[in-house]
Amino acid sequence: MIVIQSHAELTREIARRRTARQRIAFVPTMGNLHRGHVQLMHEARRHADTVLASIYVNPLQFGPREDFAAYPRTPEQDRAQLEAAGVDILFMPDDTVIYPRGRDASTRVEVPGISDILCGASRPGHFRGVATVVHRLFQLVTPDVAVFGKKDYQQLLVIRLMSGDFNLPIEIVGVETVREPDGLALSSRNSYLAAAERPLAAQLYAVLRSVADQIRTQGVTGAGYAAVEAEASGKLAAAGLRPDYVSIRRQQDLAAPVAGDRQLVVLAAAWLGKARLIDNLEVELKPVP
Ligand code: PAF
């Protein structure tokens, strides 16, 4: 595995592989890698000759009172995991490569609407930071394919829309969430959970599953899903979590479903101690006979 830090070296290496007619798959990460990330690397390999992963903890996607400073940074372990996963190139840029004119002065990329709901409502500016850094990374790496986890469902949609709006010739691939045996979605932020909190964290997925079961039997009612969502938030609170939202939306645009919508997703975010957990579950409703 080649490790690259500079823009110039990245450009040279990409050009070399393009001359050899290689397809390039890109997996952007913020490091502190787990089995979920390794799954993304394997998916990337299915699409390309060269797999390029990046590690960059992007300051622009953290709010002023969020965990940018505390975000777990484990570069040595990450390198070993990427090497073992067969990654060809690890790109580890610093701020000067990503934001050459300084992070405050650099051009922003924003996908309005979708960036302002759900997690975007609780984390103002977060998806602008994500869209900005992913656009910049796409511009540096120029991949054919880019791979993202579906755990960050809203992020995946923001990136798809951003890429479409700029007509970027990049196929965006979403990969299923990898879970612990009790259902907890793997996340770097799970390390913030205290030992006593860890078993409670699995309640997030348990509640998503019970909501999915309810709406499969109920379908979309005229009143929508407000009562189901409120009941689910109540269950999370009763289990000791601090729910931010539980929301049933359409997969394609995260709008509230209306009669006839069948491809839905239940999304939830909740605090448990220092960790803000997010998760989601896609639901396909059967056609009404
Ligand atoms: O999902 C992440 O790890 C980050 O949001 C991403 C896509 C690497 C952008 O910083």
Side-chain angles (χ1 to χ4, degrees), residues 28-30 37 56 58 61 126 130 133-134 148 152 155 159:
T29 82
M30 298 206 299
H37 293 107
Y56 177 67
N58 171 36
Q61 68 189 76
H126 168 66
V130 170
V133 78
V134 172
F148 297 86
D152 296 297
Q155 164 172 288
I159 291 165

Side-chain angles (χ1 to χ4, degrees), residues 221-227:
T221 66
Y225 289 121

Side-chain angles (χ1 to χ4, degrees), residues 111-166:
V111 186
I114 186 82
S115 298
D116 308 319
I117 58 173
L118 303 169
C119 282
S122 314
R123 304 184 65 191
H126 168 66
F127 289 114
R128 181 175 52 232
V130 170
T132 300
V133 78
V134 172
H135 181 267
R136 174 70 178 145
L137 286 163
F138 280 1
Q139 193 214 0
L140 293 169
V141 175
T142 62
D144 299 288
V145 181
V147 180
F148 297 86
K150 280 196 189 177
K151 186 182 78 72
D152 296 297
Y153 205 89
Q154 191 174 358
Q155 164 172 288
L156 179 57
L157 209 57
V158 167
I159 291 165
R160 281 192 200 285
L161 291 170
M162 178 275 286
S163 186
D165 285 349
F166 285 111

Side-chain angles (χ1 to χ4, degrees), residues 36-277:
H37 293 107
V38 171
Q39 198 58 36
L40 303 184
M41 307 302 156
H42 292 323
E43 180 64 24
R45 173 61 65 204
R46 292 184 347 98
H47 292 267
D49 313 288
T50 286
V51 175
L52 189 155
S54 66
I55 297 179
Y56 177 67
V57 184
N58 171 36
L60 278 197
Q61 68 189 76
F62 291 80
R65 279 179 296 282
E66 291 187 352
D67 56 339
F68 174 67
Y71 197 82
R73 289 159 172 87
T74 51
E76 290 316 314
Q77 278 160 251
D78 294 345
R79 264 164 102 135
Q81 283 200 71
L82 293 174
E83 185 104 52
V87 168
D88 301 292
I89 303 175
L90 168 57
F91 180 42
M92 297 182 82
D94 65 12
D95 285 356
T96 63
V97 175
I98 299 294
Y99 302 118
R101 293 194 301 108
R103 62 170 89 142
D104 293 335
S106 291
T107 302
R108 302 296 197 261
V109 175
E110 180 156 15
V111 186
I114 186 82
S115 298
D116 308 319
I117 58 173
L118 303 169
C119 282
S122 314
R123 304 184 65 191
H126 168 66
F127 289 114
R128 181 175 52 232
V130 170
T132 300
V133 78
V134 172
H135 181 267
R136 174 70 178 145
L137 286 163
F138 280 1
Q139 193 214 0
L140 293 169
V141 175
T142 62
D144 299 288
V145 181
V147 180
F148 297 86
K150 280 196 189 177
K151 186 182 78 72
D152 296 297
Y153 205 89
Q154 191 174 358
Q155 164 172 288
L156 179 57
L157 209 57
V158 167
I159 291 165
R160 281 192 200 285
L161 291 170
M162 178 275 286
S163 186
D165 285 349
F166 285 111
N167 287 319
L168 301 181
I170 302 172
E171 184 190 347
I172 308 293
V173 173
V175 175
E176 293 306 325
T177 302
V178 179
R179 299 180 180 281
E180 299 285 7
D182 66 359
L184 176 65
L186 297 193
S187 163
S188 302
R189 289 189 169 101
N190 292 352
S191 63
Y192 298 162
L193 293 168
E197 290 162 351
R198 171 61 191 82
L200 304 179
Q203 282 306 309
L204 191 60
Y205 185 56
V207 166
L208 289 178
R209 286 179 56 163
S210 85
V211 171
D213 287 345
Q214 266 175 283
I215 61 180
R216 267 192 211 104
T217 46
Q218 172 184 320
V220 186
T221 66
Y225 289 121
V228 180
E229 292 165 349
E231 188 191 329
S233 285
K235 280 188 195 164
L236 288 175
L241 286 82
R242 196 151 50 80
D244 179 354
Y245 63 81
V246 178
S247 194
I248 302 160
R249 301 288 172 120
R250 308 195 314 191
Q251 289 177 20
Q252 79 220 50
D253 56 6
L254 298 185
V258 293
D261 285 330
R262 301 218 312 267
Q263 297 190 307
L264 307 183
V265 55
V266 193
L267 305 110
W271 284 93
L272 183 55
K274 286 197 205 126
R276 184 174 183 278
L277 306 172

